[in-house]
Amino acid sequence: MPVDLKADCIADSAGGLTFDLNVPQGTGTTWSAALVLRLRAGADDPGTADGTDGTDGTDDDEVRLPLGPNGPGRLRAVLPSTVALAEGRWHAYADLGDGADPRRLLPGVNDLRSLVDRRPLAGIGRLGVRIPYATKLGNLALRSWLRGPHAEAGDILVAPEGITVTGRLYGASPTAGAHAEARARRAGQGPVAVPLTVDGPDFRFTLPCGELAACWRHGSEPWDLWLCPAAGVPPVRIARLLDDVPEKEQVFSYPALPVPAADRELRIGPYYTLDNDLAVRVTGPAGRE
């Protein structure tokens, strides 16, 4: 019976990852041995629709990294920061070049200290983020983002006057006319725009809760937050990516503020989506659909 293979991951501040596999001593490899990354199609852990932990395995969604000896019982592969990895969730396999199907890897020890409070150069054109994690079924996967420009969310304050967001913009410079927008996912509702306060690449804005409350219709209504650096420049999704937490929704929790609106009281608060994008949720009273 094949022995389970584990991979330790070491992250560097540029966005690269090193994989060190623990294998039985004497395990041989060939020139074709590789660590294989396969992009998961559609929604993935946690909470896939069918509870599976598979992959579609198409050639266009596969990256192979050369795998070679790195001491007794150790194999190593490197994912450089210069290798573009599409946004999504990538499952990790080991192909030892022995003719057998690639084997799913288990997570070992992750050294992600360089990702904590990562501060890339503000002028970077495209930002790559890769964070290893364990899937719901206990296998090794990577969460990858590839964005340029990127608006990194920082401190968030929920107060009666509104939701204040601070952050830093990478790959673009705010100019006259720069502003933030809350965009409703409900069709037919226009955006709510608010001005920015900028200091170099750093930005700050306060989203008034009253405007969102006035737009509420029923149920739970999400609004996505965007930063518009200048007139005629494509907007940038505000997200929190530059740390070692792959699933912000489960870690970062913010209070929902009670906001009076007409004959009811709504609750409005920020949250992170499954993609670690920043959003605001407006929720009506129970039973008022």
Side-chain angles (χ1 to χ4, degrees):
M1 183 175 180
V3 177
D4 289 336
L5 301 181
K6 289 187 176 182
D8 300 331
C9 295
I10 303 173
D12 64 48
S13 59
L17 284 174
T18 298
F19 301 86
D20 285 322
L21 278 62
N22 296 310
V23 297
Q25 290 199 30
T27 298
T29 61
T30 68
W31 65 269
S32 60
L35 187 142
V36 182
L37 299 175
R38 291 177 178 168
L39 181 63
R40 168 69 178 176
D44 193 14
D45 332 71
T48 55
D50 58 5
T52 61
D53 192 21
T55 182
D56 61 2
T58 60
D59 290 341
D60 291 341
D61 297 329
E62 181 173 290
V63 173
R64 296 179 65 88
L65 306 172
L67 190 60
N70 187 45
R74 301 282 280 180
L75 300 174
R76 170 168 284 189
V78 177
L79 174 65
S81 61
T82 52
V83 173
L85 204 62
E87 283 210 20
R89 301 175 188 273
W90 294 76
H91 291 168
Y93 300 79
D95 181 352
L96 300 182
D98 53 6
D101 291 336
R103 295 162 57 181
R104 199 71 171 87
L105 288 172
L106 301 179
V109 177
N110 290 336
D111 184 353
L112 307 181
R113 288 173 293 180
S114 65
L115 300 183
V116 178
D117 296 325
R118 181 182 168 196
R119 296 292 291 267
L121 295 176
I124 190 170
R126 184 171 64 173
L127 184 65
V129 177
R130 298 86 174 262
I131 305 178
Y133 72 99
T135 70
K136 183 163 54 177
L137 298 185
N139 295 312
L140 177 63
L142 300 183
R143 184 63 176 93
S144 174
W145 292 267
L146 189 62
R147 299 194 177 181
H150 166 61
E152 177 73 6
D155 293 336
I156 299 173
L157 176 64
V158 180
E161 61 270 19
I163 298 170
T164 298
V165 178
T166 61
R168 169 167 284 209
L169 181 62
Y170 294 93
S173 298
T175 63
H179 62 279
E181 288 185 353
R183 298 184 176 184
R185 295 183 204 168
R186 172 166 53 84
Q189 175 63 55
V192 173
V194 294
L196 284 181
T197 299
V198 298
D199 181 10
D202 297 324
F203 64 84
R204 177 188 180 95
F205 66 88
T206 298
L207 179 65
C209 292
E211 291 193 45
L212 300 187
C215 298
W216 179 83
R217 294 295 177 266
H218 60 81
S220 178
E221 298 185 349
W223 294 69
D224 296 320
L225 299 188
W226 295 76
L227 189 145
C228 303
V233 176
V236 181
R237 192 71 169 87
I238 301 175
R240 182 160 183 160
L241 308 179
L242 298 177
D243 56 29
D244 60 344
V245 181
E247 303 287 350
K248 304 294 190 297
E249 186 181 34
Q250 302 179 28
V251 177
F252 292 86
S253 179
Y254 300 96
L257 189 71
V259 178
D263 61 342
R264 62 185 64 90
E265 183 178 78
L266 307 178
R267 300 191 70 83
I268 301 179
Y271 71 100
Y272 285 105
T273 69
L274 286 176
D275 290 326
N276 289 353
D277 294 323
L278 185 59
V280 173
R281 184 181 287 115
V282 183
T283 305
R288 295 293 297 272
E289 297 296 325

